[in-house]
Amino acid sequence: EVSLETLERQINSGTSTSIEDGDLSLIQRCEFEKSAVPAVLKYCIEYIEGDVEWLQTEGLYRKSASKTVIESFEKQLYHHILNIPSLSYDQYKSKIDDVISQREDFQDCHVIASVLKRYLRKLPIPVIPFSLYEQFLSVFKQSSNILKGSSEKFSDTYLLTQVWKNLALLPQEHFIALKAIVHHINIVSQYSNDNLMNLHNLSLVFAPGVIRDYDGSFEISDIKEKNELIEFMALNESKL
């Protein structure tokens, strides 16, 4: 049986026959674009953070846009823009801006938010790779197992130390993407009086895209710990 590490190495070194959203891993995408962070990730985050009205939109990231509109936008994005190698970010951005300006139904924060969520969920290797899934969650699982009300609850300092150890194991592209997502979650949560999306709600939405196990068998059973991990990283962003 092939180990998850080996599988991830194979995915990252494999040459993708068609360059599309779900085909390239984070590492391959950064290599293809010659960038530190994928243009789609950077663009969606900047688009939403660039307009206070978007940030204040109720249910941002929880509500979805029309699937037809999302898919139509993704087709333009992945087949006509992000399949061109090695452009500068400004060049990618200007092409995406053009596509958005041509259709009013693309000019919707729920469309852009959905594209970002779908991009993360379709990555062949999640932002927190399959091979590190257990390591990242184990301290939160142990923490859950300690009886509630017991004085032996893990301190934040201890949890932080464990998270640090794991972050150090991430490939650079994954670490940079994770930091960008965590920072974005914090920005969006600052408007929670309007958008009703506090850190807890945003963690629920982003966790499935950031961390998932290889075959999905723990998708439901580990929900609590995955959300706790994302929320903990967001709360401690300045220390990561």
Side-chain angles (χ1 to χ4, degrees):
E1 199 178 300
V2 178
S3 73
L4 290 173
E5 288 87 349
T6 307
L7 183 83
E8 287 166 355
R9 269 198 305 275
Q10 287 168 349
I11 292 173
N12 283 325
S13 63
T15 46
S16 194
T17 46
S18 68
I19 290 181
E20 229 187 291
D21 51 338
D23 288 338
L24 290 187
S25 68
L26 259 177
I27 290 176
Q28 289 172 316
R29 171 59 64 193
C30 291
E31 228 164 74
F32 181 77
E33 295 177 4
K34 302 278 178 282
S35 62
V37 69
V40 61
L41 186 63
K42 190 172 179 182
Y43 186 91
C44 293
I45 288 175
E46 283 185 2
Y47 187 89
I48 287 165
E49 290 183 4
D51 188 330
V52 173
E53 262 184 58
W54 292 150
L55 286 166
Q56 292 173 330
T57 305
E58 188 183 325
L60 180 61
Y61 284 110
R62 184 176 52 76
K63 292 183 176 172
S64 190
S66 139
K67 194 162 187 266
T68 324
V69 176
I70 296 165
E71 287 174 349
S72 169
F73 177 62
E74 284 178 337
K75 196 174 174 192
Q76 292 286 324
L77 185 65
Y78 296 121
H79 293 273
H80 301 289
I81 301 172
L82 297 179
N83 58 345
I84 308 166
S86 313
L87 294 184
S88 69
Y89 173 68
D90 286 343
Q91 288 171 307
Y92 284 124
K93 181 182 182 299
S94 129
K95 286 177 182 294
I96 304 171
D97 285 342
D98 286 348
V99 165
I100 289 179
S101 68
Q102 283 161 26
R103 275 184 57 173
E104 208 170 312
D105 53 1
F106 287 170
Q107 297 158 36
D108 172 359
C109 60
H110 295 305
V111 170
I112 306 299
S114 299
V115 168
L116 175 55
K117 283 192 304 188
R118 281 160 62 98
Y119 172 69
L120 294 174
R121 287 181 188 192
K122 285 181 180 175
L123 280 170
I125 303 169
V127 178
I128 292 176
F130 300 125
S131 56
L132 295 174
Y133 177 87
E134 272 308 325
Q135 262 167 280
F136 266 88
L137 290 190
S138 68
V139 69
F140 292 91
K141 288 184 179 177
Q142 290 162 23
S143 189
S144 300
N145 291 339
I146 294 174
L147 286 172
K148 296 240 159 50
S150 138
S151 58
E152 292 178 44
K153 192 177 171 293
F154 287 149
S155 70
D156 277 4
T157 317
Y158 176 73
L159 287 172
L160 201 54
T161 312
Q162 299 307 308
V163 171
W164 275 339
K165 279 183 190 167
N166 293 325
L167 289 174
L169 302 170
L170 287 176
Q172 193 186 2
E173 295 84 349
H174 287 250
F175 179 66
I176 293 171
L178 182 60
K179 281 197 74 150
I181 293 160
V182 166
H183 184 67
H184 182 54
I185 288 173
N186 271 324
I187 300 275
V188 174
S189 75
Q190 287 167 16
Y191 295 84
S192 61
N193 285 343
D194 299 298
N195 62 33
L196 307 182
M197 296 300 285
N198 58 22
L199 275 187
H200 179 71
N201 297 339
L202 287 162
S203 301
L204 274 169
V205 169
F206 275 92
V210 171
I211 180 165
R212 58 184 192 271
D213 62 298
Y214 180 60
D215 60 6
S217 45
F218 299 110
E219 193 180 345
I220 306 299
S221 60
D222 288 348
I223 263 179
K224 182 174 169 287
E225 288 80 11
K226 285 190 284 195
N227 296 342
E228 282 172 359
L229 167 67
I230 304 297
E231 197 171 340
F232 182 80
M233 289 193 293
L235 282 166
N236 293 280
E237 186 202 349
S238 62
K239 302 182 190 123
L240 297 179

